[in-house]
Structure formats: structure tokens, C-alpha cells
Amino acid sequence: MSLEVQTRQIDNGVTVVAPTGRLDVAGAPALKDAIGEAVKSEKPRVVIDLEGVSFVDSTGLGSVISALKQIRSSQGDLRLAAPNQQVRVVLELTTLDRVFPYYATVEEALTGF
Amino acid sequence: MASHSKPFEFNATLSHLDEGLDTLHESIKKLRQSTGRGEDDRNLMHFEIALAEIGANVLTHGRPSGTDPPVEYRLWMEDDTAHALFVDGGPAVEEVLLRAMPDPTSEEGRGLPMARWLLDDLLYKRDGEVNRWRLVKRL
């Protein structure tokens, strides 16, 4: 099952990246490619919409951390939205929920961004 | 009248990363159906996370040339406990098992520590030219 990633621009300049499928060692490269495109703008603001992500593993998490570093080095920021229960378990287990506060919906993530 | 249904068991050989991971998740889906557990069953979720981490490790590092023999995989239940076994022909990995969970901002290195934390037992044995991984979790 490969990871498919759709990207869309919001009116306020935020990029929403929406992966669908498993964000794991097989799918992580697709997310990295999509983030690579999104950070080409100055001070990128990116929301990763996780609603379509059925499962995440440590490599998938690593790709999200890589994205955060890449975006912050460009003076931008990254937010996570709509993780399912399994994704929340992994974020909490690895204490990444302290690095990445996550939002219940994309709309909440976009508020004040 | 006593029930004598056959205990759950799933066997496969895994050759490629993507299809191998598909097989692992499919085996958990079958286990979930067989045991009547819901999608939100915490212990089975934890077991699946650990299984995917070890499985990804084995499929990535256990077949270094990509043409090595396939990985043997077995999943089964004993009473209320889930067991999984991987047998791969990759190099020995003893020192990797001792690594602690890395810094939260690290991009890698958290898979095996996560699996150890989530399982009741993660057993590794170098057996001649193969690695044997045994995952155990009471559901």
C-alpha cells in the first residue's frame, strides 16, 4: 500500500499536505517529497492533515520531524491535524506530542496560523 | 458443550518491503476478526505497532542484498497472548537491541525501543546464520 499525498494552498498562504495510507518506512519518502515542494516558499506555513493516515511507524514519524526541521530552518512552522487513535498513541508514546501539539481538525490548525 | 475451534495461526514468507508490510497488517486484521476485538483495542494496537517496527527492521536489514531468502513470518495466539516470529538471514544485530529511545527531535532510532516498550517480551536469538525474533504480548 503506497502513500498518496495531495497538497493544496489555502488563501492565507498556508499549505495543507494530506497523505493517505500508511505513513511508514515504505510511504515516508512520498511525504518527504511533498514537504520538499512546500518549503520552497519563504517562511513556509504547513499543516499536515493526518485524517487519511491509517497507521504511522517510527520512520513515518521521522519524516514528520525532518519536515519540521526543514520548515523551521526556513523560518516557517508546521502543525499536525486530525491524527487518528493509533497516530496519537505513537505521538504520546514517543513524547512527540510535546514537540508537535496536534489539532483535532485542519480548521483548528489553521486558526491563528 | 465445549468449543474446539482451532487456535488462530497465520504463516507467510515476506520478500519485499511494501508487500511484506501489507501482509503484516493484514495478519493483524485477521487476528482482530478471529478474536472479536475492536479497532480501538489498545493492547492489539500496541502489538501491531511493535510488529510493524520489527517487521520493517527485518525487511530492511534482514535482506541486505535484496536477493536473500525471504523472511519467514508466523503469527499465532496462545490463550490470550499474541506471539509473532520472524526468521531472517541478515547480519547479527545484538548491539542495536540495547539502544535507548533517542531524543524527541531525532529523526531515527526509535523503532526498536518503541517495540521493546510496547511488548511483554521481545526476544532475539542469533541461530547459526539466521536471526530469530519473537514478539509476545498478552492482549
Side-chain angles (χ1 to χ4, degrees):
Chain A
M1 180 193 293
S2 58
L3 186 78
E4 298 200 358
V5 186
Q6 292 194 327
T7 302
R8 67 183 193 273
Q9 298 289 331
I10 305 297
D11 289 342
N12 62 353
V14 174
T15 301
V16 177
V17 176
T20 300
R22 287 200 312 266
L23 180 53
D24 60 8
V25 60
L31 179 67
K32 279 195 167 180
D33 288 345
I35 295 294
E37 286 298 313
V39 300
K40 284 180 178 173
S41 61
E42 194 178 327
K43 296 188 182 178
R45 287 172 295 152
V46 177
V47 172
I48 300 181
D49 177 2
L50 295 167
E51 186 176 13
V53 172
S54 57
F55 185 91
V56 68
D57 76 354
S58 61
T59 305
L61 270 190
S63 70
V64 176
I65 295 166
S66 172
L68 177 68
K69 289 179 177 177
Q70 207 177 344
I71 289 168
R72 286 188 175 168
S73 71
S74 300
Q75 280 118 47
D77 206 357
L78 172 68
R79 291 183 175 184
L80 302 182
N84 71 3
Q85 185 180 11
Q86 189 271 339
V87 177
R88 291 198 305 274
V89 164
V90 174
L91 286 171
E92 289 158 13
L93 174 65
T94 56
T95 69
L96 276 170
D97 55 332
R98 299 175 202 173
V99 175
F100 280 118
Y102 51 82
Y103 299 80
T105 65
V106 170
E107 288 67 35
E108 287 182 31
L110 289 172
T111 302
F113 197 21
Chain B
M1 183 179 291
S3 168
H4 296 285
S5 59
K6 195 176 167 187
F8 177 87
E9 185 167 338
F10 181 98
N11 293 279
T13 53
L14 314 175
S15 299
H16 302 287
L17 179 62
D18 208 358
E19 290 86 353
L21 293 173
D22 286 347
T23 299
L24 296 183
H25 290 286
E26 184 61 29
S27 72
I28 293 293
K29 183 178 173 184
K30 290 183 188 299
L31 175 60
R32 184 175 285 117
Q33 289 167 345
S34 169
T35 56
R37 295 172 188 275
E39 293 278 344
D40 58 352
D41 185 291
R42 198 95 171 170
N43 285 333
L44 186 51
M45 184 187 297
H46 288 179
F47 184 77
E48 184 174 14
I49 293 169
L51 185 77
E53 293 296 340
I54 301 300
N57 236 284
V58 165
L59 285 163
T60 304
H61 303 296
R63 304 186 72 240
S65 74
T67 59
D68 306 80
V71 173
E72 296 172 34
Y73 168 63
R74 183 176 168 226
L75 174 68
W76 73 99
M77 289 290 294
E78 286 180 13
D79 297 322
D80 288 331
T81 301
H83 296 257
L85 174 69
F86 292 100
V87 181
D88 76 80
V93 294
E94 282 97 340
E95 77 289 353
V96 174
L97 291 168
L98 302 175
R99 290 181 191 166
M101 187 74 82
D103 181 90
T105 58
S106 172
E107 292 177 40
E108 54 187 28
R110 53 176 58 82
L112 286 177
M114 270 172 59
R116 280 204 313 269
W117 197 90
L118 289 167
L119 296 168
D120 294 333
D121 269 312
L122 174 59
L123 305 166
Y124 167 82
K125 181 182 176 185
R126 182 69 180 175
D127 186 3
E129 295 300 308
V130 301
N131 298 311
R132 294 185 183 277
W133 302 81
R134 176 87 171 258
L135 291 67
V136 184
K137 184 162 184 77
R138 183 172 181 83
L139 299 183

